[in-house]
Amino acid sequence: MRKRAAARQLDVLTVLKACDKPMTAYQILEQLQTTEPNIAPPTVYRTLSALTDQGRAHRLESINAFVPCRCSHAESVPVLAICDDCGTVDEHDGSELLPKLTALTGQNAFHAVRHIVEIHGLCGACAA
């Protein structure tokens, strides 16, 4: 029996929240297949697309992985600090960046659809 989109989204979010590091779509698929062996990759990709469109998950473009949204950003910019050593991701509210980003891109009449800032480096534990 096929699951409804809301139930599928809850399943994927549960998998994402249970992991303390970013997950690829195929890692999510592997986790879901333990209880639902017939689930296919397109189902996971469609679900992740819906979750990112809703702002309930973030796609880390630079490493092609996903994390659950841990902040509330209706009109803000998620700032994701990615540790290149251990892989942890800290999410910050970059609301104060939005006017500056809008002004910067507005110089060329560019209209942004979404804003995500990814910063790579070392977390406090790895830098110590």
Side-chain angles (χ1 to χ4, degrees):
M1 174 178 245
R2 295 180 63 179
K3 285 190 174 183
R4 293 196 174 276
R8 179 73 63 212
Q9 290 171 14
L10 182 60
D11 291 346
V12 170
L13 276 177
T14 300
V15 168
L16 283 172
K17 288 179 180 179
C19 188
D20 60 348
K21 293 186 170 61
M23 297 182 77
T24 66
Y26 276 91
Q27 289 171 325
I28 295 166
L29 176 67
E30 287 175 11
Q31 287 291 313
L32 293 173
Q33 284 177 331
T34 61
T35 57
E36 198 173 344
N38 294 331
I39 189 170
T43 303
V44 174
Y45 279 109
R46 277 192 303 272
T47 303
L48 286 166
S49 178
L51 290 170
T52 56
D53 287 348
Q54 296 165 15
R56 297 169 64 196
H58 299 296
R59 179 172 185 250
L60 304 174
E61 309 276 342
S62 60
I63 61 173
N64 198 21
F66 298 85
V67 293
C69 179
R70 300 190 192 277
C71 294
S72 172
H73 356 252
E75 286 294 321
S76 71
V77 178
V79 177
L80 304 166
I82 304 164
C83 180
D84 291 326
D85 192 24
C86 71
T88 60
V89 177
D90 288 325
E91 183 173 354
H92 306 278
D93 182 0
S95 297
E96 67 281 355
L97 298 175
L98 192 54
K100 291 178 182 180
L101 290 172
T102 302
L104 181 68
T105 57
Q107 294 172 359
N108 297 26
F110 183 84
H111 299 280
V113 176
R114 63 188 174 99
H115 302 84
I116 296 177
V117 176
E118 294 182 25
I119 302 171
H120 285 264
L122 297 176
C123 68
C126 292

mmCIF file with all atom_site columns, all heavy atoms in Angstrom, residues 26 28-41:
data_model
loop_
_atom_site.group_PDB
_atom_site.id
_atom_site.type_symbol
_atom_site.label_atom_id
_atom_site.label_alt_id
_atom_site.label_comp_id
_atom_site.label_asym_id
_atom_site.label_entity_id
_atom_site.label_seq_id
_atom_site.pdbx_PDB_ins_code
_atom_site.Cartn_x
_atom_site.Cartn_y
_atom_site.Cartn_z
_atom_site.occupancy
_atom_site.B_iso_or_equiv
_atom_site.pdbx_formal_charge
_atom_site.auth_seq_id
_atom_site.auth_comp_id
_atom_site.auth_asym_id
_atom_site.auth_atom_id
_atom_site.pdbx_PDB_model_num
ATOM 1   N N   . TYR A 1 26 ? 20.545 8.547  -0.910 1.00 0.00 ? 26 TYR A N   1
ATOM 2   C CA  . TYR A 1 26 ? 20.693 7.091  -0.871 1.00 0.00 ? 26 TYR A CA  1
ATOM 3   C C   . TYR A 1 26 ? 20.895 6.565  0.545  1.00 0.00 ? 26 TYR A C   1
ATOM 4   O O   . TYR A 1 26 ? 20.462 5.453  0.860  1.00 0.00 ? 26 TYR A O   1
ATOM 5   C CB  . TYR A 1 26 ? 21.801 6.628  -1.821 1.00 0.00 ? 26 TYR A CB  1
ATOM 6   C CG  . TYR A 1 26 ? 21.265 6.491  -3.226 1.00 0.00 ? 26 TYR A CG  1
ATOM 7   C CD1 . TYR A 1 26 ? 21.312 7.559  -4.114 1.00 0.00 ? 26 TYR A CD1 1
ATOM 8   C CD2 . TYR A 1 26 ? 20.653 5.319  -3.647 1.00 0.00 ? 26 TYR A CD2 1
ATOM 9   C CE1 . TYR A 1 26 ? 20.780 7.449  -5.394 1.00 0.00 ? 26 TYR A CE1 1
ATOM 10  C CE2 . TYR A 1 26 ? 20.115 5.194  -4.918 1.00 0.00 ? 26 TYR A CE2 1
ATOM 11  C CZ  . TYR A 1 26 ? 20.178 6.268  -5.779 1.00 0.00 ? 26 TYR A CZ  1
ATOM 12  O OH  . TYR A 1 26 ? 19.633 6.155  -7.034 1.00 0.00 ? 26 TYR A OH  1
ATOM 13  N N   . ILE A 1 28 ? 19.417 7.921  3.127  1.00 0.00 ? 28 ILE A N   1
ATOM 14  C CA  . ILE A 1 28 ? 18.040 7.979  3.629  1.00 0.00 ? 28 ILE A CA  1
ATOM 15  C C   . ILE A 1 28 ? 17.262 6.784  3.096  1.00 0.00 ? 28 ILE A C   1
ATOM 16  O O   . ILE A 1 28 ? 16.539 6.113  3.840  1.00 0.00 ? 28 ILE A O   1
ATOM 17  C CB  . ILE A 1 28 ? 17.368 9.309  3.236  1.00 0.00 ? 28 ILE A CB  1
ATOM 18  C CG1 . ILE A 1 28 ? 18.075 10.481 3.926  1.00 0.00 ? 28 ILE A CG1 1
ATOM 19  C CG2 . ILE A 1 28 ? 15.881 9.297  3.572  1.00 0.00 ? 28 ILE A CG2 1
ATOM 20  C CD1 . ILE A 1 28 ? 17.720 11.834 3.367  1.00 0.00 ? 28 ILE A CD1 1
ATOM 21  N N   . LEU A 1 29 ? 17.422 6.501  1.805  1.00 0.00 ? 29 LEU A N   1
ATOM 22  C CA  . LEU A 1 29 ? 16.759 5.357  1.180  1.00 0.00 ? 29 LEU A CA  1
ATOM 23  C C   . LEU A 1 29 ? 17.109 4.056  1.903  1.00 0.00 ? 29 LEU A C   1
ATOM 24  O O   . LEU A 1 29 ? 16.226 3.257  2.217  1.00 0.00 ? 29 LEU A O   1
ATOM 25  C CB  . LEU A 1 29 ? 17.147 5.257  -0.298 1.00 0.00 ? 29 LEU A CB  1
ATOM 26  C CG  . LEU A 1 29 ? 16.600 4.062  -1.070 1.00 0.00 ? 29 LEU A CG  1
ATOM 27  C CD1 . LEU A 1 29 ? 15.090 4.143  -1.209 1.00 0.00 ? 29 LEU A CD1 1
ATOM 28  C CD2 . LEU A 1 29 ? 17.269 3.980  -2.435 1.00 0.00 ? 29 LEU A CD2 1
ATOM 29  N N   . GLU A 1 30 ? 18.391 3.854  2.191  1.00 0.00 ? 30 GLU A N   1
ATOM 30  C CA  . GLU A 1 30 ? 18.817 2.635  2.889  1.00 0.00 ? 30 GLU A CA  1
ATOM 31  C C   . GLU A 1 30 ? 18.142 2.499  4.249  1.00 0.00 ? 30 GLU A C   1
ATOM 32  O O   . GLU A 1 30 ? 17.720 1.406  4.632  1.00 0.00 ? 30 GLU A O   1
ATOM 33  C CB  . GLU A 1 30 ? 20.337 2.623  3.060  1.00 0.00 ? 30 GLU A CB  1
ATOM 34  C CG  . GLU A 1 30 ? 21.090 2.352  1.787  1.00 0.00 ? 30 GLU A CG  1
ATOM 35  C CD  . GLU A 1 30 ? 22.600 2.468  1.970  1.00 0.00 ? 30 GLU A CD  1
ATOM 36  O OE1 . GLU A 1 30 ? 23.078 2.561  3.125  1.00 0.00 ? 30 GLU A OE1 1
ATOM 37  O OE2 . GLU A 1 30 ? 23.306 2.481  0.948  1.00 0.00 ? 30 GLU A OE2 1
ATOM 38  N N   . GLN A 1 31 ? 18.028 3.600  4.974  1.00 0.00 ? 31 GLN A N   1
ATOM 39  C CA  . GLN A 1 31 ? 17.369 3.569  6.279  1.00 0.00 ? 31 GLN A CA  1
ATOM 40  C C   . GLN A 1 31 ? 15.895 3.212  6.138  1.00 0.00 ? 31 GLN A C   1
ATOM 41  O O   . GLN A 1 31 ? 15.369 2.407  6.907  1.00 0.00 ? 31 GLN A O   1
ATOM 42  C CB  . GLN A 1 31 ? 17.498 4.929  6.980  1.00 0.00 ? 31 GLN A CB  1
ATOM 43  C CG  . GLN A 1 31 ? 18.877 5.228  7.493  1.00 0.00 ? 31 GLN A CG  1
ATOM 44  C CD  . GLN A 1 31 ? 19.245 4.339  8.648  1.00 0.00 ? 31 GLN A CD  1
ATOM 45  O OE1 . GLN A 1 31 ? 18.466 4.157  9.576  1.00 0.00 ? 31 GLN A OE1 1
ATOM 46  N NE2 . GLN A 1 31 ? 20.430 3.766  8.600  1.00 0.00 ? 31 GLN A NE2 1
ATOM 47  N N   . LEU A 1 32 ? 15.229 3.806  5.158  1.00 0.00 ? 32 LEU A N   1
ATOM 48  C CA  . LEU A 1 32 ? 13.801 3.546  4.958  1.00 0.00 ? 32 LEU A CA  1
ATOM 49  C C   . LEU A 1 32 ? 13.551 2.115  4.487  1.00 0.00 ? 32 LEU A C   1
ATOM 50  O O   . LEU A 1 32 ? 12.517 1.523  4.803  1.00 0.00 ? 32 LEU A O   1
ATOM 51  C CB  . LEU A 1 32 ? 13.214 4.547  3.963  1.00 0.00 ? 32 LEU A CB  1
ATOM 52  C CG  . LEU A 1 32 ? 13.170 6.004  4.427  1.00 0.00 ? 32 LEU A CG  1
ATOM 53  C CD1 . LEU A 1 32 ? 12.728 6.906  3.282  1.00 0.00 ? 32 LEU A CD1 1
ATOM 54  C CD2 . LEU A 1 32 ? 12.253 6.170  5.624  1.00 0.00 ? 32 LEU A CD2 1
ATOM 55  N N   . GLN A 1 33 ? 14.491 1.549  3.737  1.00 0.00 ? 33 GLN A N   1
ATOM 56  C CA  . GLN A 1 33 ? 14.314 0.195  3.218  1.00 0.00 ? 33 GLN A CA  1
ATOM 57  C C   . GLN A 1 33 ? 14.344 -0.864 4.310  1.00 0.00 ? 33 GLN A C   1
ATOM 58  O O   . GLN A 1 33 ? 13.907 -1.983 4.069  1.00 0.00 ? 33 GLN A O   1
ATOM 59  C CB  . GLN A 1 33 ? 15.367 -0.104 2.149  1.00 0.00 ? 33 GLN A CB  1
ATOM 60  C CG  . GLN A 1 33 ? 15.065 0.567  0.833  1.00 0.00 ? 33 GLN A CG  1
ATOM 61  C CD  . GLN A 1 33 ? 16.138 0.336  -0.206 1.00 0.00 ? 33 GLN A CD  1
ATOM 62  O OE1 . GLN A 1 33 ? 17.314 0.158  0.113  1.00 0.00 ? 33 GLN A OE1 1
ATOM 63  N NE2 . GLN A 1 33 ? 15.743 0.357  -1.475 1.00 0.00 ? 33 GLN A NE2 1
ATOM 64  N N   . THR A 1 34 ? 14.814 -0.532 5.505  1.00 0.00 ? 34 THR A N   1
ATOM 65  C CA  . THR A 1 34 ? 14.805 -1.522 6.588  1.00 0.00 ? 34 THR A CA  1
ATOM 66  C C   . THR A 1 34 ? 13.376 -1.869 6.999  1.00 0.00 ? 34 THR A C   1
ATOM 67  O O   . THR A 1 34 ? 13.108 -2.985 7.419  1.00 0.00 ? 34 THR A O   1
ATOM 68  C CB  . THR A 1 34 ? 15.591 -1.028 7.820  1.00 0.00 ? 34 THR A CB  1
ATOM 69  O OG1 . THR A 1 34 ? 14.999 0.160  8.317  1.00 0.00 ? 34 THR A OG1 1
ATOM 70  C CG2 . THR A 1 34 ? 17.056 -0.796 7.482  1.00 0.00 ? 34 THR A CG2 1
ATOM 71  N N   . THR A 1 35 ? 12.462 -0.911 6.853  1.00 0.00 ? 35 THR A N   1
ATOM 72  C CA  . THR A 1 35 ? 11.061 -1.176 7.195  1.00 0.00 ? 35 THR A CA  1
ATOM 73  C C   . THR A 1 35 ? 10.160 -1.216 5.963  1.00 0.00 ? 35 THR A C   1
ATOM 74  O O   . THR A 1 35 ? 9.032  -1.677 6.045  1.00 0.00 ? 35 THR A O   1
ATOM 75  C CB  . THR A 1 35 ? 10.520 -0.098 8.159  1.00 0.00 ? 35 THR A CB  1
ATOM 76  O OG1 . THR A 1 35 ? 10.668 1.182  7.563  1.00 0.00 ? 35 THR A OG1 1
ATOM 77  C CG2 . THR A 1 35 ? 11.237 -0.159 9.496  1.00 0.00 ? 35 THR A CG2 1
ATOM 78  N N   . GLU A 1 36 ? 10.661 -0.724 4.859  1.00 0.00 ? 36 GLU A N   1
ATOM 79  C CA  . GLU A 1 36 ? 9.865  -0.668 3.629  1.00 0.00 ? 36 GLU A CA  1
ATOM 80  C C   . GLU A 1 36 ? 10.760 -1.032 2.439  1.00 0.00 ? 36 GLU A C   1
ATOM 81  O O   . GLU A 1 36 ? 11.242 -0.162 1.724  1.00 0.00 ? 36 GLU A O   1
ATOM 82  C CB  . GLU A 1 36 ? 9.299  0.745  3.471  1.00 0.00 ? 36 GLU A CB  1
ATOM 83  C CG  . GLU A 1 36 ? 8.153  0.829  2.534  1.00 0.00 ? 36 GLU A CG  1
ATOM 84  C CD  . GLU A 1 36 ? 7.526  2.214  2.550  1.00 0.00 ? 36 GLU A CD  1
ATOM 85  O OE1 . GLU A 1 36 ? 7.771  2.993  3.480  1.00 0.00 ? 36 GLU A OE1 1
ATOM 86  O OE2 . GLU A 1 36 ? 6.791  2.488  1.598  1.00 0.00 ? 36 GLU A OE2 1
ATOM 87  N N   . PRO A 1 37 ? 10.996 -2.316 2.228  1.00 0.00 ? 37 PRO A N   1
ATOM 88  C CA  . PRO A 1 37 ? 11.976 -2.763 1.232  1.00 0.00 ? 37 PRO A CA  1
ATOM 89  C C   . PRO A 1 37 ? 11.702 -2.321 -0.202 1.00 0.00 ? 37 PRO A C   1
ATOM 90  O O   . PRO A 1 37 ? 12.631 -2.215 -1.001 1.00 0.00 ? 37 PRO A O   1
ATOM 91  C CB  . PRO A 1 37 ? 11.937 -4.287 1.333  1.00 0.00 ? 37 PRO A CB  1
ATOM 92  C CG  . PRO A 1 37 ? 11.133 -4.621 2.520  1.00 0.00 ? 37 PRO A CG  1
ATOM 93  C CD  . PRO A 1 37 ? 10.377 -3.417 2.935  1.00 0.00 ? 37 PRO A CD  1
ATOM 94  N N   . ASN A 1 38 ? 10.470 -2.043 -0.555 1.00 0.00 ? 38 ASN A N   1
ATOM 95  C CA  . ASN A 1 38 ? 10.138 -1.715 -1.945 1.00 0.00 ? 38 ASN A CA  1
ATOM 96  C C   . ASN A 1 38 ? 10.198 -0.226 -2.269 1.00 0.00 ? 38 ASN A C   1
ATOM 97  O O   . ASN A 1 38 ? 9.886  0.157  -3.395 1.00 0.00 ? 38 ASN A O   1
ATOM 98  C CB  . ASN A 1 38 ? 8.748  -2.251 -2.290 1.00 0.00 ? 38 ASN A CB  1
ATOM 99  C CG  . ASN A 1 38 ? 8.721  -3.767 -2.276 1.00 0.00 ? 38 ASN A CG  1
ATOM 100 O OD1 . ASN A 1 38 ? 9.729  -4.414 -2.539 1.00 0.00 ? 38 ASN A OD1 1
ATOM 101 N ND2 . ASN A 1 38 ? 7.579  -4.331 -1.931 1.00 0.00 ? 38 ASN A ND2 1
ATOM 102 N N   . ILE A 1 39 ? 10.593 0.598  -1.322 1.00 0.00 ? 39 ILE A N   1
ATOM 103 C CA  . ILE A 1 39 ? 10.661 2.034  -1.605 1.00 0.00 ? 39 ILE A CA  1
ATOM 104 C C   . ILE A 1 39 ? 11.752 2.292  -2.644 1.00 0.00 ? 39 ILE A C   1
ATOM 105 O O   . ILE A 1 39 ? 12.820 1.673  -2.610 1.00 0.00 ? 39 ILE A O   1
ATOM 106 C CB  . ILE A 1 39 ? 10.888 2.846  -0.315 1.00 0.00 ? 39 ILE A CB  1
ATOM 107 C CG1 . ILE A 1 39 ? 10.733 4.343  -0.602 1.00 0.00 ? 39 ILE A CG1 1
ATOM 108 C CG2 . ILE A 1 39 ? 12.217 2.534  0.318  1.00 0.00 ? 39 ILE A CG2 1
ATOM 109 C CD1 . ILE A 1 39 ? 10.692 5.196  0.648  1.00 0.00 ? 39 ILE A CD1 1
ATOM 110 N N   . ALA A 1 40 ? 11.489 3.195  -3.577 1.00 0.00 ? 40 ALA A N   1
ATOM 111 C CA  . ALA A 1 40 ? 12.406 3.451  -4.683 1.00 0.00 ? 40 ALA A CA  1
ATOM 112 C C   . ALA A 1 40 ? 13.038 4.854  -4.559 1.00 0.00 ? 40 ALA A C   1
ATOM 113 O O   . ALA A 1 40 ? 12.462 5.741  -3.928 1.00 0.00 ? 40 ALA A O   1
ATOM 114 C CB  . ALA A 1 40 ? 11.645 3.353  -5.998 1.00 0.00 ? 40 ALA A CB  1
ATOM 115 N N   . PRO A 1 41 ? 14.214 5.037  -5.171 1.00 0.00 ? 41 PRO A N   1
ATOM 116 C CA  . PRO A 1 41 ? 14.891 6.330  -5.100 1.00 0.00 ? 41 PRO A CA  1
ATOM 117 C C   . PRO A 1 41 ? 14.036 7.530  -5.518 1.00 0.00 ? 41 PRO A C   1
ATOM 118 O O   . PRO A 1 41 ? 14.063 8.563  -4.843 1.00 0.00 ? 41 PRO A O   1
ATOM 119 C CB  . PRO A 1 41 ? 16.101 6.157  -6.014 1.00 0.00 ? 41 PRO A CB  1
ATOM 120 C CG  . PRO A 1 41 ? 16.394 4.693  -5.967 1.00 0.00 ? 41 PRO A CG  1
ATOM 121 C CD  . PRO A 1 41 ? 15.032 4.033  -5.856 1.00 0.00 ? 41 PRO A CD  1
#
